[in-house]
Amino acid sequence: MWTIQFFNERVQKDINKWPVGIYADFLRITELVVEHGADLKMPISKALGKGLFELRCQGKEGIGRVLYCTMVNREIVLLHGFIKKTQKTPPHDLEIAKRRMKEVHSG
């Protein structure tokens, strides 16, 4: 069993405001993460490199992404969530997640 935590309250609030279909898929995926951990593969999760991963949420309203990292003791930290508007993940969103991941790993 794995645990999930949000990097901060703002990340949680941003994801909670997602359109209902995308948010419902996020909840479904987080249940899988708690059960199976970070070993989920495409199309649910994708490794972005250097310890950063994304959860791939979808609904009739569009696509959401949650960037996350793993910690020891079977813990996953959700670093940044956003609604995807372009084919590639915007560099700005990647930078936010990378900066937060450094914070998490440095304590």
Side-chain angles (χ1 to χ4, degrees):
M1 187 107 154
W2 287 68
T3 59
I4 296 175
Q5 71 173 7
F6 291 90
F7 176 77
N8 60 25
E9 197 175 301
R10 180 177 177 189
V11 174
Q12 186 172 8
K13 284 181 179 179
D14 287 348
I15 293 170
N16 287 345
K17 288 190 260 177
W18 281 3
V20 67
I22 302 171
Y23 185 70
D25 197 40
F26 166 75
L27 294 177
R28 178 187 68 83
I29 289 171
T30 55
E31 286 178 11
L32 292 172
V33 169
V34 167
E35 188 176 329
H36 301 285
D39 290 336
L40 297 171
K41 305 281 185 241
M42 289 285 286
I44 295 169
S45 180
K46 180 180 175 184
L48 301 178
K50 297 184 180 179
L52 188 64
F53 300 87
E54 72 176 359
L55 294 178
R56 303 165 60 85
C57 309
Q58 225 171 304
K60 65 179 190 284
E61 309 91 344
I63 296 170
R65 293 290 186 261
V66 179
L67 304 180
Y68 70 95
C69 64
T70 60
M71 301 285 292
V72 292
N73 300 328
R74 296 177 165 249
E75 189 174 345
I76 290 173
V77 181
L78 306 180
L79 302 166
H80 180 60
F82 59 96
I83 299 296
K84 199 164 176 189
K85 294 177 171 60
T86 60
Q87 191 69 21
K88 286 189 76 164
T89 300
H92 171 74
D93 292 301
L94 278 173
E95 285 306 312
I96 291 170
K98 287 177 183 176
R99 187 175 66 246
R100 290 176 177 173
M101 183 170 66
K102 278 184 187 173
E103 277 186 54
V104 166
H105 288 152
S106 66

